[in-house]
Amino acid sequence: GLRPVEVSVRGCKGNFPNGNVGYMWSAARVTFENGGMLNVLNGLGYPDLAAGSNDQGMTLFCEGGDCGGLIQHNDQFRGVAHCYTRGTPPFRFVNPDYFRLVPWEGEGLKPVGYGYDSLEANVRSAIRVNSAGDDLQARQKILQEIDQAGIVATPANSAINEQVIEAGRRSILADGQPVAIGR
């Protein structure tokens, strides 16, 4: 995948209801090796006289030759919209359903959805590793396969995340100055 190379973050300090100080609002930019950028807006404030917000998600604008594309995830709706650069229909709204129970050929109802799928992938990975018993080389081979598949987050396939967080921390403390991410 593409590696991030630089992070810049600006934030505003504020107080939580318990009095603790934190960065209540922030804007971050992660620049990748191909020149692509990820912009992140973050807000921890809640309306005092209304229900708390749940505005979570991301929008990715893409390009494909002679036209643009879109991937939009709105976590509060547990849904995803995407727009292709080719093919029909060009725009779709899909709801992967975080978790639901559906009829199937077995007894009872079957759990489906990306929430369940994530848990199942972690459990199945643990079962695979444990199936190797005390054979260290076999366990390491299975762990390497899990790392390379990239379905389950592991230290090997997600270590870059720690570098991005650290660069963001250093940038916010330096009033938004860009921080390069080492390789």
Side-chain angles (χ1 to χ4, degrees), residues 2-4 155-165 181-183:
L2 293 175
R3 297 188 57 83
N157 68 24
S158 57
I160 192 69
N161 298 342
E162 292 178 27
Q163 293 178 22
V164 170
I165 296 298
I181 295 175
R183 294 193 170 235

Side-chain angles (χ1 to χ4, degrees), residues 16-50:
F16 289 99
N18 64 5
N20 289 343
V21 176
Y23 286 95
M24 306 304 283
W25 311 94
S26 63
R29 172 172 285 166
V30 179
T31 305
F32 292 86
E33 61 191 356
N34 70 344
M37 291 179 216
L38 171 65
N39 292 301
V40 180
L41 297 175
N42 180 49
L44 294 176
Y46 292 92
D48 290 337
L49 301 175

Side-chain angles (χ1 to χ4, degrees), residues 44-169:
L44 294 176
Y46 292 92
D48 290 337
L49 301 175
S53 67
N54 182 20
D55 189 14
Q56 305 172 45
M58 70 176 171
T59 301
L60 303 173
F61 298 98
C62 316
E63 60 182 57
D66 61 349
C67 66
L70 165 78
I71 301 170
Q72 183 177 40
H73 173 77
N74 294 303
D75 199 51
Q76 68 271 27
F77 305 128
R78 300 290 190 232
V80 175
H82 45 94
C83 177
Y84 299 101
T85 57
R86 355 184 202 314
T88 56
F91 178 80
R92 291 193 177 127
F93 178 80
V94 294
N95 186 340
D97 289 324
Y98 181 74
F99 180 86
R100 71 182 166 139
L101 298 169
V102 298
W104 68 305
E105 66 275 0
E107 290 185 37
L109 297 172
K110 180 180 180 178
V112 297
Y114 69 82
Y116 176 81
D117 294 343
S118 295
L119 292 171
E120 182 183 37
N122 278 287
V123 170
R124 288 189 182 277
S125 294
I127 290 169
R128 278 185 65 202
V129 172
N130 286 337
S131 72
D134 293 331
D135 184 343
L136 179 61
Q137 287 184 337
R139 290 170 77 94
Q140 289 173 331
K141 183 178 184 296
I142 292 169
L143 286 170
Q144 186 176 34
E145 291 168 2
I146 292 168
D147 288 336
Q148 289 174 349
I151 295 170
V152 175
T154 66
N157 68 24
S158 57
I160 192 69
N161 298 342
E162 292 178 27
Q163 293 178 22
V164 170
I165 296 298
E166 175 60 16
R169 186 191 69 76

